[in-house]
Amino acid sequence: SLTSAIGEVHAHTLVRSLPSSVVEVLLPGVEIGDEGAMLVGTFLSSSKALTTLDLNGNKIGDSGALGLANALKVNGSLKKLWLDDNQITDAGAVGLAKALEVNASLTTLQLRRNQIGDSGALGLANALKVNGSLKKLWLDDNQITDAGAVGLAKALEVNAS
């Protein structure tokens, strides 16, 4: 894993150099931003081997989250996606939720310390009603109120996983 900022500019070079057989990409805190996240999403779309993707603390906002969400719709290998400490709001969370409605491989999604509110939580709740693979969803330190929490709790009542 890298420990210093590479930024969006160098993210392109890094992602293009990843072998298709890579199983873990650990890039916490390297500030790839939205553009870098979208590039990683492009890689994820075609990857058949990647199981763990750590993008914690990367200044990823909604457009980056949506790029990753689009990749999740077609990827069947990723098990763990870590997006803690980013700038994802309700729009990004809803995009990820729509991906969870069709993705059958992801078991862990970490979204701690973002800017997700009730509509994002309710989008994720709707996804949980149909998703059968997700086992762990981390949402602490967001902007979710009782309304969002109740929606998530009700979804868990019908979720089989």
Side-chain angles (χ1 to χ4, degrees):
S1 102
L2 299 173
T3 55
S4 63
I6 61 170
E8 293 180 353
V9 175
H10 298 294
H12 184 70
T13 304
L14 176 68
V15 172
R16 279 190 305 140
S17 70
L18 291 172
S20 60
S21 61
V22 70
V23 294
E24 283 189 341
V25 174
L26 307 176
L27 295 171
V30 295
E31 300 181 10
I32 62 170
D34 285 331
E35 185 177 324
M38 287 187 271
L39 290 167
V40 171
T42 301
F43 173 79
L44 180 60
S45 293
S46 61
S47 174
K48 306 262 188 280
L50 190 65
T51 61
T52 302
L53 180 55
D54 179 352
L55 297 176
N56 290 337
N58 267 293
K59 299 184 178 178
I60 297 169
D62 293 331
S63 61
L66 293 173
L68 293 166
N70 286 334
L72 284 174
K73 290 177 183 177
V74 297
N75 176 278
S77 65
L78 194 67
K79 304 283 185 208
K80 298 175 184 174
L81 177 57
W82 300 330
L83 292 169
D84 296 339
D85 299 302
N86 281 292
Q87 299 159 0
I88 300 167
T89 71
D90 289 334
V94 168
L96 288 165
K98 289 187 186 315
L100 288 175
E101 291 175 7
V102 296
N103 179 284
S105 66
L106 201 67
T107 60
T108 302
L109 177 59
Q110 293 183 191
L111 290 166
R112 294 181 286 206
R113 294 176 296 279
N114 279 282
Q115 298 158 17
I116 300 166
D118 290 336
S119 64
L122 293 173
L124 289 163
N126 285 333
L128 290 176
K129 292 176 184 175
V130 297
N131 178 286
S133 64
L134 199 67
K135 306 286 184 212
K136 297 177 183 175
L137 175 62
W138 300 89
L139 289 169
D140 44 307
D141 292 321
N142 277 285
Q143 298 162 2
I144 301 167
T145 69
D146 290 349
V150 167
L152 287 163
K154 287 182 178 177
L156 292 174
E157 290 174 0
V158 298
N159 180 287
S161 66

